[in-house]
Amino acid sequence: MSPLDRRTFLGHGARATAALAAAAAIPAAPVTGTGATEPTSPARLQATAALAAATSPAPGLSAHGLTVNGLVDPLGVDPDYLSFAWLLQSAGRAVRQQAYRLIVRHDDPGFSGVAWDSGTVLSGRQAFVYYGGPAALAADAVYTWTVAVQGPDGHLSGPSQRGRFVTALRQRDWTAQWLHPAPTSPQPDVVTYLRSELTPPAGTLRRATAYISAAHTYRFFVDGNQVDFGPSFSYPDEQYARTVDLTEHLRPGKASALGVLHRWYSGGQGRPASAPGLLVQLSLVYADGRRVTHGTDGSWKEHPAEWLPAPLRNGDGGDFVEWVDGRAHPSGWADAGFDASGWSPSLVRGPVGTAPFAAIFAQRTRVAEQVVEPVSLHTLANGSVVADFGAVYAARPRLQLLDGQGGRTIPMHVGYGLDPDGQVSTTHGTQGTDLSFSYITRSGRQEFEPLTYLGFRYLQIDSPGEPITRDQVVAVAQHAAMPEVPMATFSTDQRMLNSVWNLNARSCLYCTHEQFVDTPTREKGPFVWDSANESEAIMAAYGDQNMSWQGLRDVARGQARYWPDGRVNAVYPNGDGARDLPTFTERYPEWIWRYYVATGDLDTVVLLYPTARKVSDYLWSTRAPTTGLLTGLAEGSNGDPVYGYDQGVTADTTSNVLGINAFNRIGQLAQLAGDAAGALTQVIRSAQLAAAVDAHLVRTDGIYVDGLLPDGTQSGHASQAANALALAYGVVPPKRVATVGAYVASLGIALGPNHGLELLRGLARAGLWTDLVYTLTDTSIPGWAHIVAAGGTFTWEVWQPSDLIGDSMSHGWGSSALVAMQESLLGVTLMTPDQNGAVVAAVSPPASGLNRARGSVPTIAGPLSVQWRRTGTGLSLQAVIPTNASVRISLPASGASAVREGGSPLEAAPGVRISSVGDGLVVLTAGSGSYRFTTQR
């Protein structure tokens, strides 16, 4: 069975508990400088729960914030693959969910029965509770659900408020036909209008639901109003479909028009060539139980849109310049009654399953748009108008003309900076990309809006033909829709740190679209390293689940498609087929692990484990028998700075360090999947490779060199990357951590933004908090603070971008620095979830570098908030821990008597247990609730 097939896991709870208990035997790489991440043992969790029951009142526990697949009342849920989650509320401390009862009901007309009553399940799991009913859910159906929960008082609560979801279509449920828009067009970039009309039969319409898929993009209209849009940049045998609620847009007995503006690009970065295709199916459900469907078929009409043949924007991305002739726009084309007699019948490819569209899947993610108004607008001496939107966005410009002159050509272009004469630069910061547009006006009022988003801050409009005011120009910014949870917060006593946090938070967001992207301007492909960094960042900042879930599955599909030897494709989906960057393959297991730590989603880990196991076998196959080192995996420069990293080595240190971490992570995944023998294999591989690294890649002073030269001798260079990664992934033995840490700190920033997270984690691992803050805030060295000081509002591809190479000034892979800021400066680190997937975190303020910090971190249990500050006599720390979570808190103090909670001794603090005392630290375990700790020196 393919690792991407849907699986049914029997005995889920028992297997998960046993696997996590066994995982304690697997050494885990450290997450921050506070020490190693150790799986929480069941015995400790039971002791904590017992303590909570003994020391807290037995408050009522209730559930709220219901989600399905991480979404509130979602549409288009895969009926064969969905999970439930909820938040918990209680007034007491250290309150844990002991059990739950989940009931799912079919809620369409004619259906009122219970689809699944879980019964009382003895479990603390509150997220990723997968559907387990006796029968499969129906497609194209409405379901409601409630959950009751049991707390320490032993009583189930009343049912929660109802959640709701609508299921998608299975492959066999489609009756609509795939259309082939513009079948005779020779263009590689084709934009087409398609339309149909229907009159819903009389009666009380309970629900109108549309299911739509298109390669590559569409904008969907009902009676002239846009109701949805979306891309599907996937392989046609992995096509995604979205679901749209049209209930408020249709009236029984009244004719309505369905219209689609369709675009097919051919291949490019992040976009396989695929083939032009459109599939729409409308389902009408009436109160009396009647169902009516309307879908794409031979009755649909189409017409070429006003987009003209145009050149590519650059040689990388595959995007085309947009030249649009507004005179050819068919006004009213999506309105009922429009005369389409001159339009052509659409060509029918065939039913779902017709080549090349062999398979179709429900899409969880969507792209959200927001209108950004310019902060300034001014007219140059030559008559050109320049709009400044105040920051770099991933966006499309929109221009309204009040009195267009028929046949007038208006050139436009966007950009990242201004030339000295005030014009938007076409030579600096363009990433070697043609950032222009051209619009030919028709007479009268009209609007120009291209279809493709780009990264830009400025828009220049040449020869507009009429005065342009601020209310006529906007940028339509876009990014993936984030979950409906409070985003993370972060603030300190250092203004630059706060600015760096904001820089990173917006950068990861605007590199997250239909998929993770390299940059919104030049290359929009989901490269694995970029995706993994951006994934960690949006999970930490926005509580994302679905973008990361989809990205991880896409990488696994790439391995299945291209790499039977176990590699993963460097970018997938993509237009250039198989592409190998070995260090990206090594990054993948870490990405899976970080997703699990953030979500507790065991089923997805088990689903992806076979892919990770193949990665391990591939890496192990590259070992040189003479040295035991992974050989031939070194990453090239791609023209970017390497900071002296020795490109002549055959066995490079960075890839060997990443290999050790990959084996460690795959071992942990093996335990979670119940593969004890596989876990032992990974432990052995990690240990043997670590021994080989110590034997061959360390100088006599304990510093890591860049690798071995072809003659077997050590490189004469010792890079920051080799040493920072060895620290970050726990490869450096404890006795050498201080030495290696000091060496890394002495080099400032001497690696690229792609390794910025590892640099910061390495400094934290060495306890170099002051150096970490300096690295993030010093504007005199290339780094995040330098970007802020230079007026940048988006992280860059390299610290000193080159126009000659086309380096990106909107690049998300450096944005994961915010994760290290959360872990090391706010002091909050998510740890391995407990056996029920419940949140376990560590709170440990840095020993130096800052005087205070406050912030919150999204978790599946709710926000975890921390505020700490140094006082004249010690430290004050406040924490709000969500219900069902537990936190390990490390406080600087000489002993337990020097720590108080709420003014009382620790032994009198409900929900608190002393875990250890020593080395100037008191380590506590606390359950949910609000706490205020103070320490005395």
Side-chain angles (χ1 to χ4, degrees), residues 33-86:
T34 59
T37 303
E38 296 179 356
T40 306
S41 70
R44 173 171 291 185
L45 289 163
Q46 291 166 7
T48 302
L51 178 72
T55 59
S56 293
L61 185 67
S62 61
H64 66 103
L66 277 59
T67 58
V68 175
N69 289 351
L71 304 171
V72 176
D73 295 346
L75 302 174
V77 173
D78 184 342
D80 298 318
Y81 199 70
L82 72 157
S83 65
F84 303 92
W86 52 90

Short mmCIF file of all heavy atoms in Angstrom, two decimals, residues 33-86:
data_model
loop_
_atom_site.label_atom_id
_atom_site.label_comp_id
_atom_site.label_asym_id
_atom_site.label_seq_id
_atom_site.Cartn_x
_atom_site.Cartn_y
_atom_site.Cartn_z
N GLY A 33 18.56 25.85 24.14
CA GLY A 33 19.71 25.74 25.01
C GLY A 33 19.37 25.29 26.41
O GLY A 33 20.24 25.21 27.27
N THR A 34 18.12 24.98 26.70
CA THR A 34 17.75 24.57 28.04
C THR A 34 18.07 23.11 28.30
O THR A 34 17.94 22.63 29.40
CB THR A 34 16.25 24.78 28.27
OG1 THR A 34 15.52 24.02 27.31
CG2 THR A 34 15.90 26.25 28.13
N GLY A 35 18.47 22.37 27.27
CA GLY A 35 18.82 20.97 27.48
C GLY A 35 18.10 20.10 26.48
O GLY A 35 17.43 20.56 25.58
N ALA A 36 18.24 18.79 26.65
CA ALA A 36 17.67 17.85 25.69
C ALA A 36 16.17 17.75 25.84
O ALA A 36 15.62 17.88 26.93
CB ALA A 36 18.30 16.47 25.88
N THR A 37 15.52 17.50 24.72
CA THR A 37 14.10 17.23 24.73
C THR A 37 13.89 15.76 25.06
O THR A 37 14.32 14.89 24.32
CB THR A 37 13.50 17.51 23.33
OG1 THR A 37 13.77 18.85 22.99
CG2 THR A 37 12.02 17.27 23.32
N GLU A 38 13.21 15.47 26.15
CA GLU A 38 12.97 14.09 26.52
C GLU A 38 11.48 13.83 26.50
O GLU A 38 10.69 14.60 27.05
CB GLU A 38 13.53 13.81 27.92
CG GLU A 38 15.04 13.96 27.99
CD GLU A 38 15.56 13.71 29.39
OE1 GLU A 38 14.73 13.49 30.28
OE2 GLU A 38 16.78 13.73 29.58
N PRO A 39 11.06 12.74 25.86
CA PRO A 39 9.64 12.41 25.89
C PRO A 39 9.14 12.29 27.32
O PRO A 39 9.81 11.74 28.18
CB PRO A 39 9.58 11.06 25.16
CG PRO A 39 10.80 11.06 24.30
CD PRO A 39 11.84 11.79 25.09
N THR A 40 7.97 12.86 27.58
CA THR A 40 7.41 12.80 28.92
C THR A 40 6.93 11.39 29.20
O THR A 40 6.16 10.82 28.44
CB THR A 40 6.23 13.78 29.02
OG1 THR A 40 6.69 15.06 28.62
CG2 THR A 40 5.68 13.83 30.42
N SER A 41 7.35 10.81 30.29
CA SER A 41 6.98 9.43 30.59
C SER A 41 5.54 9.37 31.09
O SER A 41 5.06 10.29 31.76
CB SER A 41 7.89 8.87 31.67
OG SER A 41 7.62 9.48 32.92
N PRO A 42 4.82 8.28 30.79
CA PRO A 42 3.46 8.13 31.30
C PRO A 42 3.40 8.19 32.82
O PRO A 42 2.45 8.73 33.38
CB PRO A 42 3.04 6.75 30.76
CG PRO A 42 3.88 6.57 29.53
CD PRO A 42 5.19 7.23 29.85
N ALA A 43 4.42 7.66 33.49
CA ALA A 43 4.41 7.67 34.95
C ALA A 43 4.40 9.10 35.48
O ALA A 43 3.66 9.43 36.41
CB ALA A 43 5.63 6.92 35.48
N ARG A 44 5.20 9.96 34.86
CA ARG A 44 5.24 11.36 35.31
C ARG A 44 3.90 12.04 35.04
O ARG A 44 3.40 12.81 35.87
CB ARG A 44 6.36 12.11 34.62
CG ARG A 44 6.35 13.60 34.91
CD ARG A 44 7.59 14.30 34.42
NE ARG A 44 8.76 13.90 35.18
CZ ARG A 44 9.96 14.43 35.03
NH1 ARG A 44 10.15 15.38 34.15
NH2 ARG A 44 10.99 14.01 35.75
N LEU A 45 3.31 11.76 33.88
CA LEU A 45 2.03 12.37 33.58
C LEU A 45 0.95 11.90 34.54
O LEU A 45 0.10 12.67 34.98
CB LEU A 45 1.63 12.04 32.14
CG LEU A 45 2.46 12.76 31.08
CD1 LEU A 45 2.30 12.08 29.74
CD2 LEU A 45 2.05 14.21 31.01
N GLN A 46 0.96 10.62 34.90
CA GLN A 46 -0.01 10.11 35.85
C GLN A 46 0.16 10.75 37.21
O GLN A 46 -0.79 11.09 37.91
CB GLN A 46 0.11 8.59 35.95
CG GLN A 46 -0.35 7.88 34.68
CD GLN A 46 0.07 6.43 34.64
OE1 GLN A 46 0.61 5.91 35.61
NE2 GLN A 46 -0.15 5.77 33.52
N ALA A 47 1.43 10.95 37.60
CA ALA A 47 1.70 11.59 38.88
C ALA A 47 1.19 13.03 38.88
O ALA A 47 0.62 13.51 39.86
CB ALA A 47 3.19 11.55 39.19
N THR A 48 1.38 13.71 37.75
CA THR A 48 0.91 15.09 37.65
C THR A 48 -0.62 15.15 37.73
O THR A 48 -1.19 16.01 38.41
CB THR A 48 1.38 15.71 36.32
OG1 THR A 48 2.80 15.64 36.26
CG2 THR A 48 0.92 17.16 36.21
N ALA A 49 -1.28 14.23 37.04
CA ALA A 49 -2.74 14.20 37.08
C ALA A 49 -3.24 13.91 38.49
O ALA A 49 -4.21 14.49 38.96
CB ALA A 49 -3.27 13.15 36.10
N ALA A 50 -2.56 12.97 39.18
CA ALA A 50 -2.95 12.64 40.54
C ALA A 50 -2.79 13.85 41.45
O ALA A 50 -3.62 14.14 42.31
CB ALA A 50 -2.12 11.47 41.06
N LEU A 51 -1.68 14.58 41.25
CA LEU A 51 -1.43 15.77 42.06
C LEU A 51 -2.51 16.81 41.81
O LEU A 51 -3.01 17.46 42.74
CB LEU A 51 -0.06 16.36 41.72
CG LEU A 51 0.30 17.65 42.46
CD1 LEU A 51 0.60 17.34 43.92
CD2 LEU A 51 1.49 18.32 41.82
N ALA A 52 -2.89 16.97 40.53
CA ALA A 52 -3.92 17.95 40.20
C ALA A 52 -5.22 17.60 40.90
O ALA A 52 -5.90 18.47 41.44
CB ALA A 52 -4.13 17.99 38.69
N ALA A 53 -5.57 16.32 40.88
CA ALA A 53 -6.82 15.92 41.52
C ALA A 53 -6.77 16.13 43.02
O ALA A 53 -7.78 16.44 43.66
CB ALA A 53 -7.10 14.45 41.20
N ALA A 54 -5.57 15.99 43.59
CA ALA A 54 -5.44 16.09 45.03
C ALA A 54 -5.37 17.53 45.51
O ALA A 54 -5.75 17.83 46.64
CB ALA A 54 -4.18 15.35 45.49
N THR A 55 -4.87 18.45 44.65
CA THR A 55 -4.60 19.80 45.13
C THR A 55 -5.56 20.84 44.58
O THR A 55 -5.54 21.97 45.04
CB THR A 55 -3.17 20.22 44.76
OG1 THR A 55 -3.03 20.15 43.34
CG2 THR A 55 -2.16 19.31 45.42
N SER A 56 -6.37 20.51 43.59
CA SER A 56 -7.28 21.49 43.01
C SER A 56 -8.71 21.11 43.33
O SER A 56 -9.03 19.93 43.55
CB SER A 56 -7.11 21.54 41.50
OG SER A 56 -5.84 22.05 41.17
N PRO A 57 -9.58 22.10 43.36
CA PRO A 57 -10.99 21.75 43.42
C PRO A 57 -11.39 21.00 42.16
O PRO A 57 -10.65 20.97 41.20
CB PRO A 57 -11.68 23.12 43.50
CG PRO A 57 -10.70 24.08 42.91
CD PRO A 57 -9.34 23.54 43.25
N ALA A 58 -12.52 20.36 42.17
CA ALA A 58 -12.97 19.60 41.01
C ALA A 58 -13.91 20.48 40.20
O ALA A 58 -15.12 20.40 40.33
CB ALA A 58 -13.68 18.33 41.46
N PRO A 59 -13.34 21.38 39.37
CA PRO A 59 -14.18 22.32 38.64
C PRO A 59 -14.87 21.64 37.48
O PRO A 59 -14.45 20.60 37.00
CB PRO A 59 -13.17 23.35 38.14
CG PRO A 59 -11.92 22.55 37.95
CD PRO A 59 -11.93 21.48 39.01
N GLY A 60 -15.95 22.28 37.00
CA GLY A 60 -16.59 21.76 35.82
C GLY A 60 -15.72 21.98 34.60
O GLY A 60 -15.06 23.01 34.48
N LEU A 61 -15.70 21.01 33.72
CA LEU A 61 -14.91 21.10 32.50
C LEU A 61 -15.88 21.14 31.33
O LEU A 61 -16.85 20.35 31.29
CB LEU A 61 -13.99 19.89 32.39
CG LEU A 61 -13.01 19.86 31.22
CD1 LEU A 61 -11.97 20.95 31.37
CD2 LEU A 61 -12.33 18.49 31.13
N SER A 62 -15.66 22.04 30.39
CA SER A 62 -16.54 22.12 29.24
C SER A 62 -15.72 22.31 27.98
O SER A 62 -14.56 22.74 28.03
CB SER A 62 -17.53 23.29 29.39
OG SER A 62 -16.83 24.53 29.50
N ALA A 63 -16.31 21.98 26.84
CA ALA A 63 -15.65 22.07 25.55
C ALA A 63 -16.24 23.20 24.73
O ALA A 63 -17.45 23.47 24.79
CB ALA A 63 -15.77 20.75 24.80
N HIS A 64 -15.40 23.85 23.98
CA HIS A 64 -15.84 24.91 23.08
C HIS A 64 -14.82 24.98 21.94
O HIS A 64 -13.87 24.21 21.88
CB HIS A 64 -15.92 26.26 23.81
CG HIS A 64 -14.59 26.77 24.27
ND1 HIS A 64 -13.91 27.78 23.64
CD2 HIS A 64 -13.79 26.39 25.30
CE1 HIS A 64 -12.77 28.02 24.26
NE2 HIS A 64 -12.67 27.18 25.28
N GLY A 65 -15.01 25.91 21.00
CA GLY A 65 -14.04 26.08 19.92
C GLY A 65 -13.88 24.85 19.07
O GLY A 65 -12.76 24.46 18.71
N LEU A 66 -14.99 24.21 18.68
CA LEU A 66 -14.94 22.96 17.92
C LEU A 66 -14.40 23.20 16.51
O LEU A 66 -14.78 24.17 15.84
CB LEU A 66 -16.32 22.33 17.85
CG LEU A 66 -16.78 21.47 19.05
CD1 LEU A 66 -16.79 22.26 20.34
CD2 LEU A 66 -18.14 20.85 18.77
N THR A 67 -13.53 22.30 16.05
CA THR A 67 -13.01 22.36 14.69
C THR A 67 -12.96 20.97 14.09
O THR A 67 -12.86 19.96 14.80
CB THR A 67 -11.59 22.98 14.65
OG1 THR A 67 -10.71 22.20 15.48
CG2 THR A 67 -11.58 24.41 15.12
N VAL A 68 -13.01 20.94 12.77
CA VAL A 68 -12.82 19.71 12.01
C VAL A 68 -11.67 19.96 11.05
O VAL A 68 -11.67 20.95 10.32
CB VAL A 68 -14.09 19.30 11.24
CG1 VAL A 68 -13.83 18.09 10.36
CG2 VAL A 68 -15.23 19.03 12.21
N ASN A 69 -10.67 19.08 11.08
CA ASN A 69 -9.45 19.30 10.30
C ASN A 69 -8.86 20.69 10.56
O ASN A 69 -8.34 21.35 9.65
CB ASN A 69 -9.70 19.11 8.80
CG ASN A 69 -9.94 17.66 8.43
OD1 ASN A 69 -9.76 16.76 9.25
ND2 ASN A 69 -10.35 17.41 7.21
N GLY A 70 -8.97 21.13 11.81
CA GLY A 70 -8.39 22.40 12.20
C GLY A 70 -9.18 23.62 11.78
O GLY A 70 -8.72 24.75 11.97
N LEU A 71 -10.39 23.44 11.23
CA LEU A 71 -11.18 24.54 10.69
C LEU A 71 -12.53 24.62 11.39
O LEU A 71 -13.11 23.60 11.77
CB LEU A 71 -11.38 24.37 9.19
CG LEU A 71 -10.11 24.23 8.35
CD1 LEU A 71 -10.46 23.85 6.91
CD2 LEU A 71 -9.30 25.52 8.38
N VAL A 72 -13.05 25.83 11.52
CA VAL A 72 -14.35 26.04 12.14
C VAL A 72 -15.44 25.83 11.08
O VAL A 72 -15.44 26.49 10.04
CB VAL A 72 -14.44 27.45 12.73
CG1 VAL A 72 -15.84 27.70 13.30
CG2 VAL A 72 -13.38 27.65 13.81
N ASP A 73 -16.34 24.90 11.33
CA ASP A 73 -17.48 24.62 10.44
C ASP A 73 -17.05 24.56 8.98
O ASP A 73 -17.57 25.30 8.12
CB ASP A 73 -18.58 25.67 10.62
CG ASP A 73 -19.20 25.63 12.02
OD1 ASP A 73 -18.99 24.64 12.73
OD2 ASP A 73 -19.89 26.60 12.38
N PRO A 74 -16.14 23.70 8.63
CA PRO A 74 -15.57 23.72 7.27
C PRO A 74 -16.49 23.13 6.22
O PRO A 74 -17.38 22.32 6.50
CB PRO A 74 -14.31 22.87 7.42
CG PRO A 74 -14.67 21.88 8.50
CD PRO A 74 -15.52 22.66 9.47
N LEU A 75 -16.23 23.55 4.99
CA LEU A 75 -16.87 22.98 3.81
C LEU A 75 -15.86 22.08 3.10
O LEU A 75 -14.66 22.34 3.12
CB LEU A 75 -17.31 24.08 2.85
CG LEU A 75 -18.28 25.14 3.37
CD1 LEU A 75 -18.48 26.21 2.31
CD2 LEU A 75 -19.61 24.51 3.74
N GLY A 76 -16.36 21.05 2.44
CA GLY A 76 -15.50 20.23 1.59
C GLY A 76 -14.56 19.34 2.34
O GLY A 76 -13.41 19.14 1.92
N VAL A 77 -15.01 18.75 3.44
CA VAL A 77 -14.18 17.85 4.23
C VAL A 77 -14.14 16.48 3.57
O VAL A 77 -15.18 15.94 3.18
CB VAL A 77 -14.73 17.74 5.67
CG1 VAL A 77 -13.98 16.69 6.46
CG2 VAL A 77 -14.68 19.08 6.37
N ASP A 78 -12.95 15.93 3.43
CA ASP A 78 -12.81 14.58 2.89
C ASP A 78 -13.59 13.61 3.78
O ASP A 78 -13.27 13.45 4.96
CB ASP A 78 -11.32 14.20 2.87
CG ASP A 78 -11.06 12.84 2.23
OD1 ASP A 78 -12.00 12.04 2.10
OD2 ASP A 78 -9.89 12.58 1.89
N PRO A 79 -14.63 12.94 3.26
CA PRO A 79 -15.43 12.07 4.12
C PRO A 79 -14.68 10.85 4.62
O PRO A 79 -15.16 10.18 5.55
CB PRO A 79 -16.60 11.67 3.21
CG PRO A 79 -16.09 11.83 1.82
CD PRO A 79 -15.13 12.98 1.87
N ASP A 80 -13.51 10.57 4.05
CA ASP A 80 -12.73 9.42 4.48
C ASP A 80 -11.52 9.79 5.33
O ASP A 80 -10.76 8.90 5.74
CB ASP A 80 -12.25 8.63 3.25
CG ASP A 80 -13.40 8.09 2.43
OD1 ASP A 80 -14.36 7.59 3.03
OD2 ASP A 80 -13.34 8.19 1.20
N TYR A 81 -11.33 11.09 5.58
CA TYR A 81 -10.13 11.48 6.31
C TYR A 81 -10.39 12.79 7.03
O TYR A 81 -10.11 13.87 6.52
CB TYR A 81 -8.94 11.63 5.34
CG TYR A 81 -7.60 11.58 6.01
CD1 TYR A 81 -7.12 10.39 6.55
CD2 TYR A 81 -6.80 12.71 6.11
CE1 TYR A 81 -5.88 10.32 7.17
CE2 TYR A 81 -5.55 12.66 6.72
CZ TYR A 81 -5.11 11.46 7.24
OH TYR A 81 -3.87 11.40 7.87
N LEU A 82 -10.95 12.70 8.22
CA LEU A 82 -11.23 13.90 8.98
C LEU A 82 -11.04 13.64 10.46
O LEU A 82 -11.18 12.51 10.93
CB LEU A 82 -12.65 14.42 8.72
CG LEU A 82 -13.81 13.63 9.31
CD1 LEU A 82 -15.03 14.53 9.46
CD2 LEU A 82 -14.18 12.45 8.41
N SER A 83 -10.68 14.69 11.16
CA SER A 83 -10.46 14.58 12.60
C SER A 83 -11.12 15.75 13.30
O SER A 83 -11.31 16.83 12.72
CB SER A 83 -8.96 14.54 12.92
OG SER A 83 -8.34 15.76 12.59
N PHE A 84 -11.45 15.53 14.56
CA PHE A 84 -12.15 16.51 15.38
C PHE A 84 -11.21 17.06 16.44
O PHE A 84 -10.29 16.39 16.90
CB PHE A 84 -13.36 15.85 16.06
CG PHE A 84 -14.33 15.22 15.10
CD1 PHE A 84 -14.22 13.88 14.76
CD2 PHE A 84 -15.36 15.96 14.55
CE1 PHE A 84 -15.12 13.29 13.88
CE2 PHE A 84 -16.26 15.37 13.66
CZ PHE A 84 -16.14 14.03 13.33
N ALA A 85 -11.49 18.30 16.85
CA ALA A 85 -10.71 18.91 17.93
C ALA A 85 -11.59 19.92 18.65
O ALA A 85 -12.58 20.42 18.11
CB ALA A 85 -9.46 19.59 17.37
N TRP A 86 -11.20 20.21 19.88
CA TRP A 86 -11.94 21.18 20.68
C TRP A 86 -11.01 21.80 21.71
O TRP A 86 -9.94 21.26 22.01
CB TRP A 86 -13.13 20.53 21.38
CG TRP A 86 -12.77 19.29 22.18
CD1 TRP A 86 -12.40 19.23 23.50
CD2 TRP A 86 -12.76 17.95 21.70
NE1 TRP A 86 -12.16 17.93 23.88
CE2 TRP A 86 -12.37 17.11 22.79
CE3 TRP A 86 -13.05 17.35 20.47
CZ2 TRP A 86 -12.25 15.74 22.66
CZ3 TRP A 86 -12.92 15.97 20.35
CH2 TRP A 86 -12.54 15.18 21.44
#
